[in-house]
Amino acid sequence: MSEEQTPQQDKYTAAIAASAVIEDDAAVAEAVKKIIDEHAAENRNAEVYKKLFSCIDLTTLKSTDSYSSVARFTEKVNSFSETFPSLPNVAAICVYPNFAGVVRSVLESSDVRIACVSGGFPSSQTFDEVKIVETALAVENGADEIDIVLNLGYFFDKDYEGLSDEISEQKAATRHGRLKVILETGALKTAANIKAASVLAMYSGADFLKTSTGKEYPGASLEAAYVMLQAIKEYYDKTGTRIGFKAAGGIATTDEAVQYYTLVKEILGEDWLTNEYFRIGASRLANSLLSDIVGYEAKHF
């Protein structure tokens, strides 16, 4: 590290050190268990299920995705309002960036946003210039929201300036859209790492913190969510800026979704329990929630 880099690095290190968010993994697990044991049962009801449904980023991120398959996927969202007129629609459709234009041309609901993964998803391993162009093209083609992966290589090398600059540049490329930064908590593993990554992402302009890609590493966990939510709360208390939270990676059942809802409610409060600040990235979850809402097996999606 050169002398001129040291003050910059110290700025980021100082921001992490200033955070009082818990770093003890055993204490985190104990705190999560206490919240779930004491409060999850009160959230197992149809009204909460409806709210959770409205917070879904309905996702298709397969190698076999095509223009026709993504168009059909979008049509299912269009027809949902006709089939279930009394229920809220999903929050967003999440696709690869090259399909933003397809969703934009097919989507009929003005309440459903278009989200795209970008920036060399899911590894974040490509040229910085490619990441920026990919994000800019996704937005130009209709994306309202961009989901990128925090650069784990920079993180583990402690190149916090490079990490922050990369996030800030992609934030600028989203223009007026919202940027979700995926921490890939399954790779970070520890509460200390997850706290540090959360602080750096928010410091760099993230609008949302997201747990996982659901690809290479273990997906969302309640323990990782707890640390991220505590970091979001601390950041809000210090700055007055409300950062959203998105759980993603393997959340497939209603009860799993309820547990994340419970953590958000107990740590951040009711103001976060809308799809402006709370999302769940999912493909299988939608039908599970829908079935529990309507009282029979529903396979709309």
Side-chain angles (χ1 to χ4, degrees), residues 97-105 114 136-143 175:
N98 50 309
F99 295 119
V102 179
V103 180
R104 178 60 69 194
S105 65
I114 300 172
L137 286 171
V139 172
E140 182 179 336
N141 280 273
R175 303 176 193 172

Side-chain angles (χ1 to χ4, degrees), residues 215-234:
K215 297 295 184 182
E216 185 177 354
Y217 297 97
S221 74
L222 294 171
E223 291 75 20
Y226 178 89
V227 176
M228 294 165 68
L229 293 169
Q230 291 289 353
I232 289 170
K233 182 179 187 302
E234 181 183 70

Side-chain angles (χ1 to χ4, degrees), residues 25-168:
D25 293 301
V28 168
E30 184 178 345
V32 168
K33 184 178 186 305
K34 179 177 172 60
I35 291 173
I36 298 303
D37 286 349
E38 293 181 359
H39 298 285
E42 67 199 51
N43 297 316
R44 295 187 180 107
N45 60 74
E47 290 308 308
V48 168
Y49 301 163
K50 290 176 186 178
K51 189 175 289 189
L52 280 165
F53 190 89
S54 74
C55 293
I56 289 176
D57 281 1
L58 193 67
T59 303
T60 179
L61 296 172
K62 301 191 293 289
S63 298
T64 54
D65 286 344
S66 67
Y67 286 88
S68 58
S69 72
V70 171
R72 290 193 299 271
F73 187 76
T74 306
E75 288 288 8
K76 291 180 180 180
V77 175
N78 290 340
S79 64
F80 180 82
S81 297
E82 298 175 5
T83 307
F84 301 96
S86 65
L87 299 180
N89 213 325
V90 296
I93 296 173
C94 185
V95 295
Y96 282 115
N98 50 309
F99 295 119
V102 179
V103 180
R104 178 60 69 194
S105 65
V106 176
L107 184 63
E108 296 172 356
S109 175
S110 60
D111 296 329
V112 178
R113 301 167 185 87
I114 300 172
C116 288
V117 296
S118 186
F121 179 93
S123 66
S124 192
Q125 297 289 6
T126 189
F127 298 102
D128 290 351
E129 296 85 352
V130 171
K131 295 179 181 182
I132 294 165
V133 169
E134 186 176 40
T135 294
L137 286 171
V139 172
E140 182 179 336
N141 280 273
D144 304 301
E145 302 173 351
I146 297 293
D147 293 32
I148 66 167
V149 181
L150 178 140
N151 192 314
L152 293 170
Y154 283 158
F155 180 85
F156 285 117
D157 274 357
K158 299 189 183 303
D159 182 1
Y160 298 149
E161 183 178 8
L163 183 153
S164 179
D165 286 348
E166 187 174 276
I167 293 173
S168 298

Side-chain angles (χ1 to χ4, degrees), residues 236 242 264-265 268-274 276-278:
Y236 177 73
R242 186 172 287 139
V264 174
K265 180 180 178 181
L268 296 178
E270 295 282 349
D271 288 343
W272 264 265
L273 293 175
T274 73
E276 284 298 306
Y277 297 105
F278 177 40

Side-chain angles (χ1 to χ4, degrees), residues 249-266:
I251 302 170
T253 69
T254 296
D255 195 60
E256 288 170 337
V258 165
Q259 292 181 64
Y260 287 96
Y261 177 96
T262 301
L263 288 184
V264 174
K265 180 180 178 181
E266 295 305 315

